[in-house]
Amino acid sequence: MANPTNVAPRGAISAAAPDALVIGAGPGGLAAAAALRHYGLRPLVLERAQRLGASWHGHYDRLHLHTTRRLSALPGLPIPRRFGRWVSRDDVVRYLELYADHHALDIATGIEVERVERAAGTDSDSAAGAGWSLPATGGRVLTAPVVVVATGHNHTPHIPAWNGVDTFTGDLLHASAYRNATPYRGKDVLIAGAGNTGAEIAVDLAEGGAARVRLAVRTPPHILRRSTAGWPAQASGILCRRLPVGVVDRVATRVERLSVPDLAAYGLPRPADGLYSRVRQGAIPVQDVGLIAAVRARKVEPVAAVAEFEGGTVRLADGAETAPEVVVAATGYRRGLEPLVGHLGVLDERGRPVVHGRRTPPGAPGLYFTGFTNPISGMFREMAIDARRIARAVARGR
């Protein structure tokens, strides 16, 4: 299904005032809109791209969900069994299109919201007086009593301001621009960043014919098997999420030692801190989709973190120098919320919403956030939970 019938092109916004405006037509925004529809509300989803699920269209080719199909469904529609246990990027896109069509969601594409502002006369201390005004592209100003911000955890690609990076004579790209290994066959490639994206791109390059693949590691990651004897790591994450951090750290250490070989001899030592302690700081474990085998076969070489650039040379944190033809910066994203809601005092010092799900920030009734956490229990699953809670909270406040 290439174009769900309910997705409106640029400018095709219904004249009827919506009960809620949802910013972002990714999984979090679609889930929130569907849950609101379930309670008889009329949400309008605003998407800056020309199609829904735009970020998923742009991910690298080999990407699959690291969470199971059964535990990743959004409210009101299971992911089709034909998509397999580990859903591919293309099938995620198909599912989102099916989902929007199934729930008959109103989606306006090509509409970028510039800012979320309190509507004139709004009482910031009273839910009953809540109201929001959203200046958007084309001179539009959209209003609603409820706004759900679902612009995504991976909103704005981030490349560190490495010293001398502007002098680099090779090719430098962010991981968001990487699609597959074809353009890099026979080339020397350095991937900066050993999270899930960097690890998977490294494996893709090694399998796809790159001459040399090095993975620059700032902090050794925790590595988990995606599934052990049929039991998915996600299920363990769900069971452990409410347990004390110290307990989970101790259990996870034992599991890692039993299921993942020691890669210290290959330049990838085990982390010194606990897995769940790291998660609470925002670092998700690497799900193994070939990294362990590639490192042991020396097809992927872990090296120290990137420190600086000088012409064609990349200097690493341990003083070693290398001259890759290509550097892929798997260095994450920024949420990009400051221009949108930073003036409302609803973000913490790291630019994250101070609350999410059914809770609204102090002094901002009717404003909700979803999709800005990355839990070990699975992002899709948590967005589904957030969506139901947001919808219930909105319905009760009517």
Side-chain angles (χ1 to χ4, degrees):
M1 184 180 300
N3 185 26
T5 56
N6 50 296
V7 177
R10 181 188 293 271
I13 296 179
S14 170
D19 295 313
L21 292 167
V22 180
I23 308 174
L30 298 180
L36 289 164
R37 290 266 298 178
H38 176 76
Y39 281 91
L41 297 161
R42 300 185 315 278
L44 172 64
V45 182
L46 306 172
E47 171 55 51
R48 64 175 180 168
Q50 296 298 330
R51 53 188 176 183
L52 60 84
S55 65
W56 278 90
H57 282 276
H59 286 314
Y60 50 92
D61 294 350
R62 74 176 282 153
L63 178 64
H64 286 67
L65 286 180
H66 292 159
T67 55
T68 66
R69 171 183 55 80
R70 186 176 64 83
L71 294 173
S72 301
L74 302 179
L77 185 69
I79 299 177
R81 290 180 61 87
R82 67 179 182 275
F83 290 171
R85 192 183 196 200
W86 310 105
V87 184
S88 72
R89 177 203 65 183
D90 290 347
D91 283 337
V92 168
V93 171
R94 293 186 184 99
Y95 172 63
L96 296 179
E97 292 171 346
L98 287 168
Y99 190 83
D101 197 48
H102 176 80
H103 290 289
L105 301 181
D106 291 326
I107 303 171
T109 59
I111 305 295
E112 183 168 8
V113 176
E114 299 167 1
R115 190 174 169 93
V116 176
E117 299 177 346
R118 291 187 175 89
T122 293
D123 180 357
S124 63
D125 296 322
S126 169
W132 299 99
S133 174
L134 278 61
T137 50
R140 299 175 176 85
V141 178
L142 306 169
T143 60
V146 172
V147 170
V148 181
V149 180
T151 49
H153 191 272
N154 297 340
H155 184 270
T156 306
H158 170 69
I159 296 180
W162 287 302
N163 185 41
V165 68
D166 55 334
T167 71
F168 184 53
T169 55
D171 295 327
L172 171 67
L173 66 148
H174 188 268
S176 60
Y178 178 90
R179 294 295 172 267
N180 56 59
T182 300
Y184 311 105
R185 288 176 181 163
K187 293 190 175 183
D188 183 330
V189 186
L190 174 69
I191 299 98
N196 277 291
T197 296
E200 193 157 359
I201 288 176
V203 173
D204 194 50
L205 287 163
E207 294 177 352
R212 187 176 187 183
V213 179
R214 279 169 285 191
L215 182 63
V217 182
R218 183 179 61 181
T219 305
H222 286 276
I223 303 174
L224 295 175
R225 300 287 188 183
R226 187 170 63 175
S227 178
T228 302
W231 180 262
Q234 180 192 9
S236 297
I238 293 170
L239 293 174
C240 293
R241 194 173 180 205
R242 303 300 178 188
L243 294 176
V245 173
V247 171
V248 179
D249 281 348
R250 289 191 294 272
V251 172
T253 296
R254 294 189 180 96
V255 171
E256 284 185 84
R257 291 185 181 279
L258 288 171
S259 61
V260 176
D262 186 356
L263 301 174
Y266 302 90
L268 198 59
R270 295 189 190 278
D273 53 354
L275 183 149
Y276 203 24
S277 295
R278 185 83 64 83
V279 169
R280 295 292 290 270
Q281 297 169 9
I284 295 298
V286 169
Q287 302 283 314
D288 178 47
V289 288
L291 179 66
I292 294 171
V295 169
R296 296 181 80 183
R298 302 194 184 276
K299 293 180 179 179
V300 171
E301 306 169 47
V303 296
V306 171
E308 59 184 356
F309 291 74
E310 186 177 348
T313 299
V314 178
R315 191 168 293 110
L316 305 179
D318 61 359
E321 295 184 349
T322 181
E325 297 170 85
V326 181
V327 173
V328 179
T331 45
Y333 296 78
R334 295 294 180 262
R335 295 166 185 85
L337 289 171
E338 287 81 1
L340 192 66
V341 297
H343 57 289
L344 297 173
V346 297
L347 305 178
D348 66 15
E349 66 281 357
R350 295 173 61 185
R352 304 172 302 182
V354 294
V355 297
H356 68 94
R358 65 179 177 81
R359 299 170 59 198
T360 58
L367 180 63
Y368 298 88
F369 293 88
T370 183
F372 296 99
T373 60
N374 195 9
I376 57 175
S377 49
M379 185 177 285
F380 272 52
R381 179 179 182 274
E382 294 303 317
M383 287 189 291
I385 293 171
D386 273 358
R388 295 186 181 98
R389 290 175 175 172
I390 290 170
R392 283 197 296 268
V394 172
R396 288 170 183 164
R398 294 187 75 188

